[in-house]
């Protein structure tokens, strides 16, 4: 597209937006009410007109008239007139006859009828504009139903033109109108393609598309000069509005990579004009070709999110560090260009998607400059613990803890007594795991923001050891939940945000929850009861008991007390419990397990009577039949001490493979092994697992049998065979008979850290955080507080604060370290190495 054409299109759309934003006065766009003879005689060749004929206005027709009159001004912007034709009573022609009056609207181009619209299809302004433009652009906008139809259009246009493919859930919507208005403006530049088929949207390869929302893909067919080369597709990441479509098409029409040979401060591209950042890849003559390829790769990854330019060091005198290889220019006025040192393209992409990344990288570079000589001679700076490494890397970030109440000795008991449910995090501000959990805790607070009856709070045991001693907190971090009239409960699950949130929500209801009516029991299995859990999907486990099964019921109640917070459990023991259990082919005592919102309910006979057996049985039944293995749920399946049959994939599992593996998992061998799958896109640690199995990562998908608890032998399912239940069972029979040769055998060597553990006692001796004045000078006859215990039974060495430190605390009220773990972790230059933190 030439610059002149580009300016014309941009000006047209801008004026169009201005026209839409001007408030309308009355209904000036609607023409007067001519007679049929006068209307047909006044039609102009090539000019479109939407007409409706009416002898009189009935009350039922009034809403339609209001909407079509409101659309007159919008259609007028496209040169389409809207006319209300007044039919004489005696006129019984095709358009004015009683059976057609106010049941249809007619679209003419000149005196040629283009389309008849039933009035119920023109229910508002959006539907009127969308359907009228769709009819006028019928030959320009292609409608497709299958992926093959779309690919045929792409193949015809490869090397010639680009394709704008839009999916709308239904015609006549606001999104459909936006697409048609864009097609009216850009139809001569790009080929527009439309569909309402949800299956086609899924077939285009979008990851988990929401078929209830409209989508738009820009297909770069003009760049596909080879007929065998597929057209790249870039999705519109914003809602489907005319402004967003125009913005997206402007970005897609910009050069993929701009080569720059002047001061980057003076550079202005369409990306900056549209509020997006511009990434500069710094290049030089010797590495130009490689840098060009890198810039193009990054540009494709950031298409629609940022622009990419190739900046030559040889042509521009940059007063920056020679090792800087990337620069970032933001559209914000007055913000200088940031010059950074990045290691790979993933960091460049993260730089754009995470606004905090720039500041973090700059701070790390400043520290590296100061400590470079020292770090070269000290290998201990390699962090051997992922938690410590993460905290060390993020130590200058301020955590968003506004939703978490800081508790002190004065406020602890009063705050807990006022809240129906209080969650307290006990932590130590100097300890790495505590700081990592604080990050998850802040995310939990954000998820539960506005939830009535829940108080999220924290106690820094370094500042308030008396509280932690009183609450029997002997290790950091610890989370306890306090509810009125009940003993506090200590959280013993994983520290991830999802697990913590789920535990807090489930603790809000009784476990087991006693249900009193059949309606409550059925609603519970559907996930609708209790109301406070209806928006949080959890599997529902319902125990059904008769009056003769009191022993099993008591064991079930005790199991509920043990599993409270981890499982959603209900109990039903009314007179009609027998009818409820028989509905699912079991007899009391029994368990009813509902997954996926109650769409399937499984009846399980309850033969275990002891509490521990029942707890173990419930935990086992809640495991998925064919689970996706993640870092979070792997320990639960390892506890079964069974062999694993794992399907490794590089994305979502196919429908056919899922069906076959699910049949296998539900069959008789399910008691012998764990059938599961692992998505390497979601769980990248799977690459390391495959390398340990096969030295290199094989082609995916791959099915593997491994017995971690019995010799560590790894067997690979024959890649030439399809993954079906019959083939897998046949292969397993050969494997059990010793007819298969293992691909590898895992070492029995223990997994240990690459470096010895850090001596935290020595660390505390080297640099001890200050002791708060409040703790060292208690009023009255309070006993002297002891130093906190380090996990393992050791006691930290204490040092008296110096007089200068005391004076600084007294002279600067409100700046002590109580409740400021993020600031303590981020203290400037307190230590150069981890051993000095």
């Amino acid at each position: 597209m030439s610059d002149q054409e580009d300016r014309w299109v941009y000006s047209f759309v801008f004026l169009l937006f201005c026209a839409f934003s001007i408030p309308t006065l009355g209904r000036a766009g609607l023409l007067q009410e001519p007679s049929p003879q006068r209307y047909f005689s006044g039609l102009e060749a090539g000019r479109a007109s939407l007409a409706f004929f009416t002898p009189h206005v009935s009350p039922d027709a009034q809403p339609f008239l209001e909407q079509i009159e409101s659309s007159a001004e919008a259609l007028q912007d496209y040169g389409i007139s809207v006319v209300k034709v007044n039919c004489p009573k005696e006129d019984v022609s095709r358009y004015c006859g009683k059976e057609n009056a106010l049941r249809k609207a007619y679209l003419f181009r000149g005196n040629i009828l283009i389309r008849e619209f039933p009035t119920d299809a023109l229910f508002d302004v959006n539907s009127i504009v969308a359907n009228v433009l769709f009819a006028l652009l019928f030959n320009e906008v292609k409608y497709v139903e299958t992926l093959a139809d779309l690919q045929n259009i792409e193949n015809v246009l490869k090397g010639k033109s680009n394709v704008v493919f839009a999916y709308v859930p239904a015609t006549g919507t606001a999104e459909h109108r936006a697409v048609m208005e864009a097609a009216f403006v850009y139809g001569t530049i790009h080929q527009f393609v439309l569909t309402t088929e949800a299956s086609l949207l899924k077939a285009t390869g979008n990851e988990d598309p929401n078929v209830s929302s409209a989508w738009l893909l820009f297909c770069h067919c003009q760049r596909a000069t080879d007929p065998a080369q597929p057209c790249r597709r870039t999705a519109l990441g914003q809602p489907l509005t005319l402004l967003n479509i125009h913005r997206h098409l402007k970005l897609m029409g910009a050069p993929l990579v701009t080569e720059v040979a002047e001061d980057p401060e003076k550079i202005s591209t369409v990306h900056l004009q549209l509020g997006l950042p511009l990434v500069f890849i710094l290049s030089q003559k010797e590495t130009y070709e490689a840098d060009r390829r890198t810039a193009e790769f990054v540009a494709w990854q950031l298409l629609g999110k940022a622009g990419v330019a190739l900046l030559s060091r040889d042509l521009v005198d940059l007063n920056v560090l020679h090792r800087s290889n990337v620069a970032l220019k933001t559209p914000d006025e007055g913000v200088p260009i940031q010059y950074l040192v990045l290691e790979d393209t993933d960091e460049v992409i993260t730089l754009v998607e995470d606004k905090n990344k720039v500041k973090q990288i700059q701070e790390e570079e400043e520290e590296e400059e100061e400590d470079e000589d020292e770090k070269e001679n000290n290998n201990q700076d390699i962090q051997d613990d992922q938690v410590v490494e993460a905290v060390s890397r993020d130590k200058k970030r301020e955590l968003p803890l506004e939703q978490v109440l800081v508790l002190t000795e004065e406020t602890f008991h009063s705050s807990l007594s006022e809240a129906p449910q209080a969650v307290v995090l006990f932590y130590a501000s100097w300890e790495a795991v505590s700081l990592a959990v604080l990050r998850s805790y802040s995310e939990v607070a954000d998820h539960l923001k506005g939830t009535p009856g829940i108080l999220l709070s924290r106690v820094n045991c370094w500042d308030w050891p008396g509280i932690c001693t009183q609450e029997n907190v002997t290790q950091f971090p610890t989370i306890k939940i306090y509810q009125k009239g009940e003993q506090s409960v200590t959280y013993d699950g994983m520290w991830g945000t999802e697990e913590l949130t789920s535990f807090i929500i489930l603790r809000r209801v009784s476990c087991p929850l006693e249900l009193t009516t059949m309606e409550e029991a059925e609603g519970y299995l559907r996930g609708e009861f209790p109301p406070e859990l209806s928006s949080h999907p959890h599997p529902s486990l319902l125990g059904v008991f008769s009056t003769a099964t009191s022993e099993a019921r008591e064991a079930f109640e005790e199991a509920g007390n043990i599993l409270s917070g981890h499982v959603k459990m209900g109990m039903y023991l009314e007179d009609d419990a027998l009818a409820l259990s028989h509905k699912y082919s079991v007899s009391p005592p029994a368990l009813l397990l509902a997954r996926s919102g109650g769409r399937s309910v499984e009846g399980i006979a309850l033969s275990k009577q002891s509490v521990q057996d029942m707890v173990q049985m419930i935990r086992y039944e809640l495991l998925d039949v064919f689970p996706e293995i993640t870092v979070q749920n792997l320990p639960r399946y390892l506890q079964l001490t069974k062999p694993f049959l794992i399907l490794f994939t590089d994305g979502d599992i196919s429908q056919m493979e899922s069906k076959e593996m699910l049949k296998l998992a539900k069959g008789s061998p399910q008691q012998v092994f764990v059938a599961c799958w692992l998505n390497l896109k979601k769980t990248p640690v799977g690459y390391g697992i495959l390398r340990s199995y096969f030295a290199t990562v094989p082609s995916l998908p791959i099915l593997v049998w491994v017995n971690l608890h019995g010799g560590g032998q790894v067997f690979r399912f024959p890649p030439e065979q399809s993954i079906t239940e019959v083939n897998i069972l046949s292969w397993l029979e050969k494997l059990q008979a010793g007819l298969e040769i293992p691909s590898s055998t895992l070492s029995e060597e223990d997994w240990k850290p690459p470096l010895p553990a850090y001596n935290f006692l020595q660390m505390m001796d080297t640099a001890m955080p200050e002791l708060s004045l409040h703790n060292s000078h208690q009023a009255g006859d309070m006993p002297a507080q002891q130093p906190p215990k380090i996990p393992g039974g050791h006691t930290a060495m204490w040092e008296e604060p110096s007089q200068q430190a005391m004076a600084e605390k007294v002279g600067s009220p409100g700046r002590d370290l109580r409740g400021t773990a993020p600031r303590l972790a981020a203290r400037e230059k307190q230590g150069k190495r981890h051993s000095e933190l």
Side-chain angles (χ1 to χ4, degrees):
M1 181 172 60
S2 65
D3 292 341
Q4 185 176 358
E5 289 177 323
D6 187 86
R7 286 194 296 271
W8 179 87
V9 170
Y10 187 86
S11 301
F12 183 88
V13 175
F14 177 77
L15 292 174
L16 199 57
F17 293 149
C18 293
F20 288 165
S21 63
I22 297 174
T24 59
L25 298 175
R27 294 171 179 149
L30 184 66
L31 296 184
Q32 298 300 317
E33 302 179 5
S35 64
Q37 294 79 7
R38 182 180 174 189
Y39 168 70
F40 285 111
S41 63
L43 291 176
E44 301 176 15
R47 182 175 174 83
S49 174
L50 179 66
F52 58 99
F53 298 78
T54 173
H56 64 278
V57 179
S58 65
D60 294 338
Q62 191 61 40
F64 165 71
L65 291 176
E66 291 176 356
Q67 294 299 323
I68 202 165
E69 290 176 5
S70 299
S71 69
E73 191 162 4
L75 289 174
Q76 207 170 43
D77 293 323
Y78 298 97
I80 305 167
S81 59
V82 179
V83 183
K84 177 182 175 184
V85 181
N86 189 11
C87 294
K89 293 182 179 180
E90 65 276 10
D91 191 340
V92 292
S93 63
R94 172 185 178 184
Y95 300 109
C96 287
K98 286 187 178 181
E99 59 179 350
N100 289 327
L102 276 179
R103 294 183 183 179
K104 292 183 179 180
Y106 302 87
L107 178 64
F108 295 89
R109 180 180 279 134
N111 58 1
I112 299 174
L113 178 63
I114 301 296
R115 182 71 58 85
E116 295 181 4
F117 296 106
T119 55
D120 57 358
L122 307 179
F123 46 88
D124 63 6
V125 175
N126 288 327
S127 65
I128 295 171
V129 175
N131 284 306
V132 168
L133 291 180
F134 195 18
L136 291 176
L137 299 175
F138 183 79
N139 294 323
E140 286 77 20
V141 178
K142 306 295 183 183
Y143 184 87
V144 295
E145 296 181 345
T146 66
L147 182 61
D149 294 337
L150 175 61
Q151 290 174 338
N152 289 337
I153 294 175
E154 289 180 333
N155 291 335
V156 171
L157 295 177
K158 283 180 180 178
K160 303 174 185 176
S161 179
N162 296 314
V163 176
V164 180
F165 169 64
Y167 161 79
V168 293
T171 58
T173 59
E175 293 85 359
H176 182 210
R177 172 183 175 179
V179 173
M180 300 315 303
E181 288 178 323
F184 191 92
V185 179
Y186 292 96
T188 58
I189 304 170
H190 308 299
Q191 174 63 63
F192 278 71
V193 178
L194 183 72
T195 190
T196 56
E197 301 292 332
S199 59
L200 174 54
L201 176 63
K202 295 178 180 179
T204 57
N206 286 298
E207 295 184 3
D208 192 22
N210 181 3
V211 296
S212 63
S213 302
W215 281 69
L216 185 138
L217 299 175
F218 187 92
C219 308
H220 304 266
C221 296
Q222 197 169 14
R223 295 178 180 270
T225 54
D226 185 351
Q229 180 184 358
C231 300
R232 288 178 179 261
R233 296 167 180 162
T234 304
L236 171 64
Q238 290 79 36
L240 215 62
T241 65
L242 180 56
L243 183 59
N244 286 337
I245 295 174
H246 164 70
R247 186 173 179 270
H248 192 63
L249 297 183
K250 288 288 291 182
L251 292 172
M252 297 303 102
L256 185 64
V257 176
T258 304
E259 295 202 17
V260 177
E262 59 179 318
D263 185 355
E265 293 284 1
K266 301 177 182 178
I267 298 296
S268 178
T269 67
V270 65
H271 305 87
L272 293 170
Q273 296 166 7
L274 294 176
L276 297 179
L278 181 62
V279 177
F280 294 88
I281 305 296
L282 275 57
S283 177
Q284 52 193 354
K285 186 188 303 182
E286 294 78 8
T287 61
Y288 172 80
E289 292 298 331
D291 295 335
R292 176 76 189 186
R293 289 193 297 270
T294 300
E296 289 178 353
F297 176 83
V298 172
W300 279 115
Q301 302 300 311
L302 295 178
L303 199 58
K305 302 176 183 177
V308 177
L310 196 62
L311 178 60
S312 174
R313 291 178 178 273
D314 303 318
L315 301 177
V316 182
D317 185 17
L318 298 176
N319 186 22
V320 297
L321 292 175
H322 182 70
R323 61 196 185 98
S324 297
N325 54 7
V326 172
L328 180 68
K329 184 175 183 179
T330 64
D332 304 321
E333 292 186 7
V335 178
I337 292 180
Q338 312 291 334
Y339 292 90
L340 308 165
V341 181
L342 303 182
E343 294 183 1
D344 52 41
T345 54
D346 289 341
E347 289 192 354
V348 181
I349 296 166
T350 305
L351 185 71
V352 172
E353 297 177 344
D354 185 359
K355 294 181 179 179
N356 295 324
K357 192 70 176 178
V358 180
K359 185 177 180 181
Q360 175 191 340
I361 292 174
Q362 286 183 316
E363 291 171 346
E364 290 175 352
E365 288 177 359
E366 291 172 2
E367 282 193 329
E368 289 174 4
E369 283 292 310
E370 296 175 3
D371 303 341
E372 191 170 9
D373 294 335
E374 187 174 355
K375 287 184 178 180
E376 287 178 356
N377 301 317
N378 194 337
N379 292 329
Q380 193 69 13
D381 282 323
I382 301 173
Q383 307 293 338
D384 65 337
D385 182 90
Q386 292 185 8
V387 174
V388 177
E389 181 183 11
V391 173
S392 177
R393 182 180 65 246
D394 298 339
K395 65 183 181 180
K396 290 193 175 182
R397 283 190 181 182
E398 195 83 17
L399 292 178
L401 293 168
E402 298 82 4
Q403 306 298 325
V404 180
L405 180 66
V406 178
L407 298 182
T408 67
E409 286 186 345
E410 290 80 8
T411 61
F412 181 79
H413 294 289
S414 60
S415 298
L416 265 56
S417 63
E418 294 172 359
Q421 182 185 28
V423 185
V424 185
L425 169 64
F426 299 90
Y427 66 100
S429 54
W430 47 265
E431 194 258 336
V433 179
S434 290
L435 297 181
V437 171
L438 266 174
R439 183 173 300 280
S440 295
Y441 199 58
S442 67
E443 293 172 355
V444 171
D446 187 59
H447 286 311
L448 298 179
K449 182 180 179 181
T451 304
I454 296 181
L455 170 68
L456 264 69
S457 57
R458 57 190 169 108
V459 174
N460 185 352
C461 290
W462 185 252
D463 290 337
W464 309 104
I467 300 177
C468 302
T469 302
Q470 176 183 330
E471 297 300 315
N472 196 28
V473 175
T474 58
Q475 62 183 13
F476 309 127
T478 292
I479 287 182
K480 287 194 172 188
I481 295 184
Y482 299 81
Q483 288 180 271
K484 289 184 177 180
E486 299 181 11
Q487 291 288 334
S488 62
V489 175
T490 301
Y491 175 67
D492 59 356
M494 298 189 71
W495 294 109
T497 303
E498 184 177 346
E499 293 79 9
L500 272 171
T501 305
S502 177
F503 182 81
I504 294 170
I505 290 173
L506 288 175
R507 283 291 305 178
R508 301 187 69 193
V509 298
S510 301
C511 187
L513 179 66
E514 190 167 340
L515 307 173
T516 57
T517 66
M518 181 73 83
E519 290 75 17
E520 283 185 353
E522 295 283 6
Y524 177 85
L525 291 174
R526 292 192 300 268
E528 301 168 357
F529 188 86
E532 53 265 47
L533 296 185
S534 59
S535 59
H536 303 278
H538 296 94
S540 299
L541 188 71
L542 179 63
V544 183
F545 304 94
S546 63
T547 54
T549 57
S550 58
E551 185 179 351
R553 176 180 59 80
E554 291 172 0
F556 185 77
E557 289 179 333
E558 186 60 31
N561 292 332
I562 296 173
L563 296 172
S564 177
H566 300 284
V567 179
K568 180 183 175 184
M569 292 173 59
M571 183 171 64
Y572 189 67
L573 41 84
E574 298 301 319
D575 295 337
D576 50 2
L578 190 63
L580 179 64
S581 60
H582 283 176
K583 181 178 179 181
Y584 300 101
S585 304
V586 289
S587 298
L591 299 180
L592 300 180
L593 176 59
R595 306 178 191 268
S596 304
R599 286 193 291 271
S600 63
V601 178
E602 178 183 358
I604 305 166
L606 193 58
S607 58
K608 306 292 184 181
Q609 298 298 325
S610 73
V611 174
Q612 291 303 323
D613 287 345
M614 195 169 293
V615 168
Q616 185 176 358
M617 175 186 177
I618 290 172
R619 283 175 171 163
Y620 177 78
E621 294 295 343
L622 285 172
L623 296 176
D624 290 333
V625 178
F626 177 53
E628 178 185 356
I629 292 297
T630 63
V631 174
Q632 289 76 18
N633 67 17
L634 177 60
R636 296 201 293 270
Y637 294 95
L638 285 174
Q639 288 175 354
L640 301 176
T641 65
K642 297 179 182 179
F644 276 65
L645 182 65
I646 313 177
L647 178 63
F648 291 85
T649 69
D650 59 351
D652 290 336
I653 191 171
S654 71
Q655 188 175 2
M656 185 275 291
E657 292 168 344
S658 176
K659 181 180 178 181
E660 294 296 323
M661 292 294 293
L662 196 58
K663 286 195 300 183
L664 181 72
K666 288 181 177 179
S668 57
Q670 65 174 326
Q671 303 296 328
V672 181
F673 60 87
V674 177
C676 55
W677 67 291
L678 193 150
N679 184 350
L680 272 67
K681 284 188 176 180
K682 289 184 180 178
T683 312
V685 72
Y687 287 105
I689 295 174
L690 287 177
R691 291 190 192 97
S692 66
Y693 289 173
F694 306 107
T696 59
V697 178
S699 59
L700 301 175
I702 179 174
L703 186 63
V704 174
W705 171 281
V706 57
N707 190 351
L708 299 172
H709 307 282
Q713 290 184 325
V714 178
F715 295 88
R716 176 179 180 177
F717 181 73
E720 65 274 7
Q721 295 187 25
S722 58
I723 298 176
T724 65
E725 181 188 18
V726 174
N727 290 343
I728 296 173
L729 287 175
S730 175
W731 176 63
L732 290 179
E733 289 177 0
K734 294 179 183 178
L735 191 151
Q736 297 297 330
L739 302 179
E740 293 287 330
I741 300 174
S743 301
S744 62
T745 302
L746 301 180
S747 171
E748 296 182 0
E749 187 176 334
D750 291 338
W751 293 353
K752 294 181 179 179
L755 294 175
Y758 290 106
N759 188 334
F760 282 98
L761 290 177
Q762 182 182 2
M763 291 163 52
M764 293 186 66
D765 289 340
T766 305
M768 193 69 182
E770 300 93 333
L771 186 61
S772 74
L773 286 175
H774 186 91
N775 292 336
S776 56
H777 297 280
Q778 293 292 330
D781 56 356
M782 289 289 292
Q785 295 172 343
Q786 298 300 316
K789 296 283 185 180
I790 301 298
H794 301 289
T795 304
M797 297 294 294
W798 288 76
E799 295 180 4
E800 284 293 325
S802 65
Q803 292 184 356
Q804 180 182 358
M806 298 274 286
E808 289 176 356
K809 288 179 179 286
V810 174
S812 56
R815 294 298 298 168
D816 60 42
L817 296 177
R818 297 189 200 118
T820 58
R823 289 203 297 273
L824 177 61
R827 197 174 303 161
E828 282 288 322
K829 313 302 179 190
Q830 192 171 33
K832 299 296 191 291
R833 297 188 298 272
H834 180 267
S835 59
E836 296 178 2
L837 287 178

